[in-house]
Amino acid sequence: MPKDIVVTGRRLDAARDAILPSLGASDYTLDRADLQRQPGGLDRSLSQVLLQAPGVTLDSYGAIHVRNEHANLQYRLNGIIVPESISGFGSTFDPHIADSIDLLSGTLPAQYGYRTSGVINLKTRTGNFDNGGDIGIYGGSRGTIEPTASIHGSTGRLNYFASGSYLENDLGVENPTASRDAIHDHTRQYRAFGYLSDILSDSSRITAFGGTSIGYFQIPNNPGQDPAFTLNGRSSFDSAKLDQNQREITHYGVLAYQYAGDALNLQIAPFARYSQTRFTPDPLGGDLILAGVADRSRLSSLTLGVQADGSYTLSDSHTLRFGVFFQNERTRSNVTSRVFSVDDDGQQTSDVPLSITDMGGKTGQLYGVYLQDEWSLTPKLTLNYGARFDAVRAYTNEQQVSPRANLVWKAASATVFHLGYARNFTPPPQELVASPTLALFNGTTKATAITTADPVRAEREHYFDGGVQQTFAPGFKIGIDAYYKIKRNLLDEGQFGPSLVLSPFNYAKGYAWGVELSTNYTRGPLDLYANVARGQEKGTDIVSSQYFFAPDELAYIANHYIFTDHSQRWTGSGGGSVSIHDGIGTLVPAVDVLYGNGLRSDDPAGIIPNGGKLPSYITANLGIAQNFDGPGMMKGLSISFNVTNVADKTYLLRDGSGVGVGAPQYGARRGFFAGLHKSF
């Protein structure tokens, strides 16, 4: 491979990354070596990887919360937004495709919009003009088996990478009981990704990448549920034998053209994404007997758009950055509900179910444009200021101008301060919004006590953030960051039906605050880290999708601030690894720890919604990997063994109570796993 092509490819990579810097934001980065050192390595899910970042909270269905916000996360591949998927618990992206993973939070620069509690950017593997690949198998407890494979290489100026994985186990969704093994919880998940890049000249290239994620999930059962209705003369059903299932698919693709000149740097990227979720109830009518409602749902979303970002170096002191974004999304929903007729007191009047179909669709758009200036006031002081304008035209028609400013001061070679303000505009996720036809269900078991259904609105936020990072010795860093948020139309999401797809709603007002402390020590073969965060989020007065809630909940929340259901007071994570050269390669023992103070639950006194808190918990994972240096076929071979939840801790993520919370979910019990991987 000619050296000049390799150098050009790397220079274009650096120029692409420079278009979208993280100036003033909190940036937590894991490179591929960091990912491989963690217990479980690249065979972990993306959410498990991110839980080791500061201020990231674990929730059910594989969800995470950054700084106590529900969702509001944006996923990017190589800096390009990949639109959100309709998913309940399946992860779209596989860590195997990542060369590095960045989590940006705090007061984001003007180029970041729409989802602003955190931006997760995966810099994908590209081949790096080097031929090779890898193949592996990972498995263990609960019937887990996960084969993976990838290949990368180049021919002339063309560079390529492809990856595929398959996951099967008996814990696709969190167990609703404290038992070691869930009932009816099998999953099969397929993921694939491809990357192709062609260098057109010394200053330009064209890149295409895309992938697919397909997941099949059994919905786990909670035995011992009492039947409440009669179906065709049957008034009993064993809830341990329910057969509910959900399928989730997502396909996405991006075509990007990049130009990197002396002063002008530009990337234009059209993109497409199709997502679909299907939920099927128990075929024998178990849902009807137990709950009086059986929904068969099909939700789909097709998104097409374009993202363009650029930078222009005006002088040694000023670098302008600018960009535009447009997205057109078509969403469809088709829900067929089997219900019973009831009288005015809610008593069943017939044991023969009715079938009611509620269909809908919407075409909506997102528009955005931004301009900002990175101004080097002095060699040690940088001001990054600008603004963006965003508009949404879908279930709500709103727009906002959002100023942003971040000041970064390198007070000394080992001390860096940052202070920032951001005005944020967060449109509701169109793929999760549906316009309900409540009147269809009058006089049935699906009728709602509240018939108000005001539209979901965009969240508007004032965000203040400041912090300092201090290097005390080579490889030893400590950072502290504090933030405060003032929200109008605070967006939240909840599970309000049997299908594990969340639905958004708004609190009229809200606020959040928090403090994060992070430490990292890397020296020689030793790598250690620890994070702790204290924070909370509260909201008052639910002003959209009111029909999801009970009248007493709405009445209390209308005049009181309550904790949002995902607010957790304390969150902690930590871990470490050591690389030991043992004569045949490198032996890497590793550990990571997660602490959660407990998400919200019902008030024990039954007065304050989300007024209770679940018990705190701490879990630890251990891993050991032997990486071989050779000779012959041993070169590139890695053998690993991992134990998750070492102490076999039984802990609740959710207890089934709280505002917008569905069934209870327990964290996974202890598991034993082994892996064999070979690179070539």
Side-chain angles (χ1 to χ4, degrees):
M1 175 60 57
K3 183 177 179 180
D4 59 335
I5 295 179
V6 177
V7 171
T8 298
R10 291 174 178 170
R11 185 178 67 83
L12 289 169
D13 283 342
R16 178 195 63 198
D17 297 341
I19 297 176
L20 300 169
S22 58
L23 292 166
S26 297
D27 187 358
Y28 185 83
T29 301
L30 291 167
D31 61 24
R32 194 166 181 84
D34 295 327
L35 297 171
Q36 290 173 322
R37 281 194 297 264
Q38 292 184 344
L42 297 168
D43 296 305
R44 313 175 94 184
S45 69
L46 181 57
S47 61
Q48 290 172 327
V49 170
L50 294 170
L51 282 170
Q52 297 305 308
V56 179
T57 302
L58 173 64
D59 201 346
S60 54
Y61 305 148
I64 58 172
H65 306 296
V66 175
R67 294 190 167 184
N68 279 322
E69 295 223 22
H70 193 108
N72 199 15
L73 294 173
Q74 182 177 101
Y75 290 86
R76 294 186 175 216
L77 295 181
N78 301 323
I80 299 167
I81 297 172
V82 176
E84 296 157 274
S85 304
I86 305 174
S87 62
F89 31 78
S91 176
T92 301
F93 306 112
D94 183 349
H96 287 93
I97 74 173
D99 196 51
S100 67
I101 299 174
D102 280 344
L103 172 61
L104 301 180
S105 59
T107 48
L108 302 174
Q111 62 263 35
Y112 298 102
Y114 309 116
R115 303 288 172 256
T116 52
S117 74
V119 175
I120 299 164
N121 183 46
L122 280 76
K123 187 183 296 183
T124 67
R125 300 179 69 188
T126 63
N128 296 318
F129 295 99
D130 183 23
N131 295 324
D134 59 69
I135 188 168
I137 184 75
Y138 185 80
S141 297
R142 300 175 191 90
T144 298
I145 182 169
E146 185 179 5
T148 59
S150 73
I151 188 170
H152 58 83
S154 63
T155 173
R157 293 174 174 266
L158 199 66
N159 193 20
Y160 61 87
F161 168 75
S163 173
S165 66
Y166 170 77
L167 172 64
E168 181 175 0
N169 64 39
D170 293 320
L171 192 64
V173 185
E174 282 84 1
N175 193 344
T177 75
S179 63
R180 184 177 302 277
D181 299 311
I183 302 171
H184 189 263
D185 200 7
H186 193 72
T187 181
R188 291 176 290 116
Q189 301 173 39
Y190 309 81
R191 295 182 183 87
F193 177 81
Y195 175 98
L196 187 65
S197 178
D198 186 19
I199 294 179
L200 305 176
S201 68
D202 290 343
S203 58
S204 65
R205 69 176 168 187
I206 190 166
T207 301
F209 60 84
T212 187
S213 173
I214 302 172
Y216 299 89
F217 299 87
Q218 293 180 336
I219 308 303
N221 295 335
N222 193 356
Q225 304 301 298
D226 294 327
F229 297 89
T230 300
L231 169 66
N232 298 324
R234 296 166 50 212
S235 59
S236 64
F237 191 91
D238 184 357
S239 61
K241 296 181 179 179
L242 273 173
D243 185 17
Q244 301 170 325
N245 295 271
Q246 187 155 308
R247 185 188 75 173
E248 303 172 1
I249 65 172
T250 298
H251 311 301
Y252 59 91
V254 174
L255 181 66
Y257 170 78
Q258 181 189 353
Y259 172 79
D262 294 333
L264 179 65
N265 195 0
L266 183 68
Q267 181 169 266
I268 302 173
F271 58 83
R273 189 271 291 142
Y274 176 77
S275 185
Q276 182 191 104
T277 294
R278 288 188 177 186
F279 175 84
T280 55
D282 181 78
L284 300 180
D287 302 79
L288 281 166
I289 297 172
L290 294 170
V293 178
D295 285 344
R296 181 181 298 272
S297 63
R298 180 180 183 273
L299 310 176
S300 66
S301 168
L302 175 62
T303 302
L304 302 172
V306 62
Q307 176 184 336
D309 300 281
S311 66
Y312 187 80
T313 303
L314 287 175
S315 66
D316 292 340
S317 300
H318 292 274
T319 299
L320 290 181
R321 291 185 174 87
F322 49 88
V324 297
F325 179 86
F326 171 74
Q327 173 181 301
N328 186 84
E329 182 173 12
R330 176 62 180 174
T331 54
R332 291 183 172 90
S333 65
N334 186 324
V335 181
T336 298
S337 303
R338 297 180 71 206
V339 296
F340 293 119
S341 297
V342 296
D343 59 23
D344 292 341
D345 296 324
Q347 298 301 310
Q348 183 178 358
T349 59
S350 171
D351 64 358
V352 179
L354 305 172
S355 184
I356 300 173
T357 299
D358 191 4
M359 301 175 61
K362 188 70 175 180
T363 300
Q365 295 82 33
L366 286 178
Y367 306 86
V369 60
Y370 70 88
L371 176 65
Q372 64 183 354
D373 176 29
E374 180 186 339
W375 182 8
S376 298
L377 299 167
T378 72
K380 295 185 176 181
L381 187 63
T382 301
L383 174 65
N384 192 53
Y385 67 99
R388 59 178 300 123
F389 171 79
D390 297 295
V392 56
R393 299 289 182 265
Y395 287 101
T396 183
N397 295 325
E398 300 180 71
Q399 55 278 322
Q400 178 178 288
V401 175
S402 304
R404 308 276 180 89
N406 278 299
L407 189 66
V408 180
W409 177 36
K410 190 172 183 179
S413 59
T415 308
V416 179
F417 292 90
H418 72 268
L419 182 66
Y421 165 79
R423 178 80 165 129
N424 292 326
F425 178 77
T426 304
Q430 182 182 324
E431 70 279 359
L432 299 182
V433 179
S435 182
T437 312
L438 300 180
L440 286 174
F441 301 100
N442 289 344
T444 75
T445 45
K446 198 177 178 180
T448 58
I450 299 293
T451 57
T452 307
D454 289 331
V456 183
R457 301 172 173 88
E459 178 181 294
R460 301 169 188 266
E461 175 185 76
H462 296 282
Y463 198 148
F464 306 89
D465 181 278
V468 59
Q469 185 177 85
Q470 177 70 45
T471 301
F472 287 96
F476 180 40
K477 295 180 181 179
I478 295 181
I480 187 168
D481 203 89
Y483 62 90
Y484 190 81
K485 308 177 188 182
I486 303 170
K487 296 174 177 287
R488 181 156 63 93
N489 294 328
L490 186 160
L491 267 173
D492 200 351
E493 296 175 7
Q495 181 193 344
F496 300 102
S499 175
L500 301 186
V501 174
L502 302 180
S503 299
F505 62 94
N506 298 98
Y507 293 90
K509 293 185 292 184
Y511 68 89
W513 63 267
V515 179
E516 296 172 354
L517 176 67
S518 61
T519 64
N520 180 269
Y521 179 75
T522 302
R523 190 171 181 83
L526 187 63
D527 182 78
L528 302 172
Y529 67 92
N531 310 298
V532 63
R534 169 70 170 97
Q536 69 176 37
E537 182 183 68
K538 285 189 169 184
T540 183
D541 192 12
I542 293 174
V543 292
S544 66
S545 302
Q546 295 93 333
Y547 65 97
F548 284 137
F549 303 94
D552 57 339
E553 283 183 329
L554 283 180
Y556 185 91
I557 299 169
N559 299 297
H560 300 83
Y561 276 91
I562 68 165
F563 288 102
T564 53
D565 70 278
H566 47 272
S567 182
Q568 182 165 270
R569 291 175 180 168
W570 290 95
T571 300
S573 61
S577 65
V578 58
S579 300
I580 304 169
H581 297 285
D582 56 6
I584 58 174
T586 307
L587 182 70
V588 185
V591 61
D592 66 41
V593 177
L594 182 68
Y595 170 78
N597 185 242
L599 300 176
R600 309 307 301 182
S601 63
D602 276 346
D603 177 11
I607 299 173
I608 304 173
N610 290 343
K613 183 189 77 67
L614 295 175
S616 61
Y617 62 88
I618 184 168
T619 62
N621 305 316
L622 296 178
I624 187 167
Q626 175 66 61
N627 305 309
F628 294 89
D629 290 340
M633 290 297 295
M634 297 295 288
K635 184 176 179 60
L637 181 67
S638 176
I639 300 174
S640 64
F641 180 74
N642 304 284
V643 184
T644 60
N645 193 358
V646 174
D648 200 22
K649 172 76 172 178
T650 299
Y651 60 101
L652 268 172
L653 297 174
R654 296 288 191 178
D655 67 355
S657 71
V659 178
V661 177
Q665 293 99 29
Y666 285 79
R669 300 285 294 273
R670 181 166 53 211
F672 299 92
F673 303 90
L676 180 65
H677 297 82
K678 176 72 168 69
S679 60
F680 53 88

